[in-house]
C-alpha cells in the first residue's frame, strides 16, 4: 500500500492564481481530511469528508473548496490564492469504524503564495 | 471548545538524557489522546495513544499516561537518541464528535545532540 499520497510536494503561486492540491489513499478509508500547518499554531482542520459525495467544513474553510467523487481521492482547491494561504498542507485519512483508529497523514505540500 | 496545551520549545538535549514534554488538555467528555511525531521534511506519524483514564501508551521507548484528574498526557523517554530529533504534537479527538477532528497542540521541537 502506498498509504496517503499528496502532489505536488512544493508549489509557488502568485496572488490570485488558482490550483488544486491532490490527495489520494489506497486503504479504502471513508474519512479524509485536509489540515494546514503554520508555525506556532499546530495543525488546523480545513475540510473533511466521511464518504464519497459528502464534505463539510472544518475550522478554517474560507478560501478553499473540496469535493469527494471517489473514496480514494480528496482534492483541495484554492480558487484565488492569497499570501495568507502560504502554509504546509496535510491530507489525512482513517476508517470510520473504530472510534480510536489513528489518522494516517500524507507527506505534505508546501505552498508559497507571493 | 476543545484545546491542547503543550510545553513550548525548542527543547535541546544531549544523547541519553531524560525527556519530558508536558501536555494538558481541555475537552468535554472523555477524549482519546495521541502523540504524533513529525521528522524533518515528513508528514505526521502516530507515536502512541491512550483511549481511557489511566491507560499508558508506549512505543519506541516513549511513554505517556492518560491522567484524567490532572487532564494531562505528558510524553516521556528515559534515554533519547539523535534519531529522536523531531517535532512532537499532542492531540485529542472527542469520541462521538461528528468530524473526528484532531485538535493539536502547537508542537514541540526536540533536538538531540550527540
Amino acid at each position: 500500500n502506498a498509504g496517503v499520497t499528496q502532489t505536488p510536494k512544493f508549489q509557488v503561486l502568485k496572488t490570485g492564481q488558482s490550483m488544486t492540491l491532490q490527495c489520494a489513499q489506497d486503504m479504502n478509508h471513508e474519512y479524509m481530511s485536509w489540515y494546514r500547518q503554520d508555525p506556532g499554531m499546530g495543525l488546523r482542520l480545513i475540510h473533511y469528508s466521511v464518504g464519497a459525495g459528502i464534505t463539510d467544513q472544518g475550522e478554517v474553510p474560507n478560501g478553499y473548496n473540496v469535493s469527494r467523487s471517489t473514496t480514494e481521492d480528496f482534492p483541495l482547491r484554492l480558487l484565488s490564492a492569497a499570501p495568507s494561504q502560504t502554509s504546509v498542507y496535510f491530507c489525512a485519512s482513517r476508517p470510520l469504524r473504530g472510534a480510536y483508529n489513528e489518522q494516517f497523514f500524507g507527506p505534505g505540500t508546501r505552498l508559497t503564495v507571493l | 471548545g476543545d484545546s491542547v496545551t503543550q510545553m513550548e520549545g525548542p527543547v535541546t538535549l544531549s544523547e541519553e538524557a531524560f525527556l519530558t514534554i508536558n501536555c494538558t488538555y481541555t475537552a468535554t467528555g472523555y477524549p482519546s489522546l495521541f502523540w504524533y511525531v513529525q521528522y524533518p521534511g515528513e508528514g505526521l506519524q502516530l507515536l502512541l495513544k491512550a483511549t481511557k483514564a489511566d491507560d499508558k501508551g508506549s512505543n519506541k521507548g516513549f511513554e505517556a499516561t492518560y491522567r484524567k484528574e490532572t487532564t494531562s498526557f505528558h510524553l516521556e523517554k528515559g534515554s533519547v537518541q539523535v534519531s529522536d530529533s523531531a517535532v512532537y504534537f499532542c492531540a485529542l479527538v472527542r469520541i462521538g464528535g461528528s468530524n473526528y477532528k484532531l485538535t493539536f497542540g502547537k508542537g514541540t521541537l526536540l533536538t538531540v545532540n550527540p
Side-chain angles (χ1 to χ4, degrees):
Chain A
N1 285 351
V4 180
T5 58
Q6 293 183 238
T7 56
K9 296 197 77 162
F10 302 93
Q11 183 70 48
V12 178
L13 292 178
K14 295 180 179 178
T15 297
Q17 287 185 314
S18 63
M19 80 159 295
T20 299
L21 280 62
Q22 301 292 343
C23 173
Q25 53 92 10
D26 60 359
M27 298 173 281
N28 203 32
H29 289 167
E30 301 95 335
Y31 179 86
M32 296 185 74
S33 57
W34 278 101
Y35 291 84
R36 59 177 290 172
Q37 181 183 25
D38 300 294
M41 300 193 72
L43 280 78
R44 294 178 292 169
L45 181 67
I46 305 171
H47 285 286
Y48 66 96
S49 168
V50 297
I54 306 169
T55 64
D56 208 343
Q57 296 181 351
E59 57 185 312
V60 288
N62 292 342
Y64 307 96
N65 281 352
V66 291
S67 60
R68 185 95 179 269
S69 56
T70 66
T71 299
E72 294 78 21
D73 300 300
F74 191 45
L76 179 72
R77 296 184 187 84
L78 284 71
L79 298 179
S80 179
S84 61
Q85 293 177 305
T86 293
S87 188
V88 182
Y89 292 85
F90 289 100
C91 180
S93 75
R94 56 157 283 164
L96 270 185
R97 263 173 272 161
Y100 312 111
N101 282 339
E102 69 175 282
Q103 291 200 35
F104 293 84
F105 284 81
T109 294
R110 185 174 295 274
L111 175 68
T112 302
V113 182
L114 302 175
Chain B
D2 300 339
S3 67
V4 175
T5 303
Q6 61 182 103
M7 66 184 280
E8 296 195 14
V11 174
T12 302
L13 296 173
S14 297
E15 209 165 20
E16 299 184 2
F18 184 85
L19 169 71
T20 299
I21 301 178
N22 290 338
C23 171
T24 57
Y25 67 90
T26 302
T28 55
Y30 300 93
S32 287
L33 302 174
F34 304 85
W35 277 100
Y36 278 84
V37 59
Q38 183 181 30
Y39 298 105
E42 298 184 11
L44 279 72
Q45 304 173 25
L46 179 66
L47 180 59
L48 53 85
K49 68 180 180 184
T51 58
K52 61 182 187 298
D54 300 325
D55 263 3
K56 178 185 282 187
S58 62
N59 186 25
K60 299 182 181 179
F62 291 89
E63 293 183 340
T65 301
Y66 189 146
R67 301 287 187 200
K68 187 172 182 297
E69 64 276 13
T70 54
T71 62
S72 65
F73 193 54
H74 305 320
L75 182 68
E76 296 182 336
K77 187 174 185 181
S79 177
V80 294
Q81 306 300 312
V82 172
S83 57
D84 293 327
S85 298
V87 181
Y88 292 82
F89 292 94
C90 186
L92 68 84
V93 64
R94 189 145 43 90
I95 304 306
S98 61
N99 64 16
Y100 299 91
K101 180 175 85 81
L102 279 165
T103 299
F104 286 92
K106 294 183 179 181
T108 302
L109 173 64
L110 170 66
T111 301
V112 181
N113 295 320

